[in-house]
Amino acid sequence: GMALPYLLLAIWPGTAAWLPKPGAWMEQLKGVMGFLLAGTVVWLLYVLSGQISSDRLALLEGSLVALALFAWLRSSSSGAQTVVRTLSAVGVVASMLATLWIAQTSAGTAVPSALEGKRIAWRPFDRLEAERLPLDENRLVFVDVTADWCATCKVNERLVLETETIADLFERHDVIAMKADWTNRDDEIARYLAEFGRYAIPFYVLYRPGAEPHVFGELLSREALVDVVESSAAAVLSGS
């Protein structure tokens, strides 16, 4: 992330000569980086909105605004420094306590189902079923391990999975589609990924009768998915 330039300078110290001399541009850069951080906050709050209720989210956002206000007061006030610093410290502690309370009371809060309103009839991930159906019923099973905070997952979902082509493909070949949601970390899903030598998402795998599961790349291709499903379905028909 933001530490990468420092890492590059540590590896190749000579590159420091390429940097411009200190000046007004540094203030401009600071402002740009601030907007990037603000964008990150917006993205994280979007992810959080699916995990907690709207009133708790509003309280958290209010706490962040209060925290920014106290930080601004501390840095801009020229008089009554002791009073301002005391109020700022109290405000920071209050904001942190409010955030901790939100985290504690939101545990177990019901979240909207990520399986609704989709072209594909997704089922919740069940590993035993995913492994059993190809053996007992000659069915193809496609597993998608995803999370709300995973930008690549969202792109693959929008451009590949939730398209008419793939929805028709799955319906035509009676593919069982399962979605494993890793938005909230799950040790069982982590162990599942590790068994395939993966420690990050997105992760896609197709279970096939009489063959090893096919693991797809993180950047999912519509053409590759169609080819693998079509060839796997043909192998099932030829073997039946």
Side-chain angles (χ1 to χ4, degrees), residues 5 10 17 32-33 46-47 50 67 77 133 141 144 153 157 186 191 193 195 205-206 214:
V32 170
M33 300 304 289
Y46 160 74
V47 174
L67 188 60
S77 177
L133 288 171
V141 180
D144 171 16
C153 302
E157 180 178 319
D186 186 306
R191 287 192 293 270
L193 291 173
E195 290 182 13
V205 60
L206 181 70
H214 180 90

Side-chain angles (χ1 to χ4, degrees), residues 7-122:
L7 179 61
L8 295 177
L9 288 172
I11 298 174
W12 297 289
T15 56
W18 299 351
L19 296 176
K21 294 181 179 180
W25 66 271
M26 299 179 70
E27 288 296 321
Q28 299 296 327
L29 178 62
K30 184 171 67 174
V32 170
M33 300 304 289
F35 278 107
L36 293 177
L37 286 174
T40 302
V41 172
V42 170
W43 169 251
L44 293 175
L45 289 176
Y46 160 74
V47 174
L48 188 62
S49 66
Q51 309 305 305
I52 64 176
S53 61
S54 58
D55 56 339
R56 288 187 173 90
L57 180 62
L59 178 58
L60 176 61
E61 292 169 338
S63 298
L64 291 175
V65 172
L67 188 60
L69 173 62
F70 295 130
W72 176 76
L73 286 173
R74 182 181 177 87
S75 63
S76 63
S77 177
S78 57
Q81 286 292 330
T82 302
V83 174
V84 171
R85 288 179 180 177
T86 301
L87 290 175
S88 298
V90 171
V92 169
V93 172
S95 298
M96 293 175 63
L97 290 176
T99 302
L100 289 173
W101 176 82
I102 293 168
Q104 291 293 330
T105 58
S106 297
T109 302
V111 298
S113 174
L115 310 181
E116 299 175 356
K118 305 293 186 180
R119 288 179 182 267
I120 298 173
W122 293 99

Side-chain angles (χ1 to χ4, degrees), residues 145-165:
V145 182
T146 184
D148 285 346
W149 42 260
C150 174
T152 307
C153 302
K154 297 298 184 183
V155 172
N156 288 340
E157 180 178 319
R158 178 66 61 87
L159 299 181
V160 180
L161 292 174
E162 288 300 326
T163 61
E164 187 174 350
T165 299

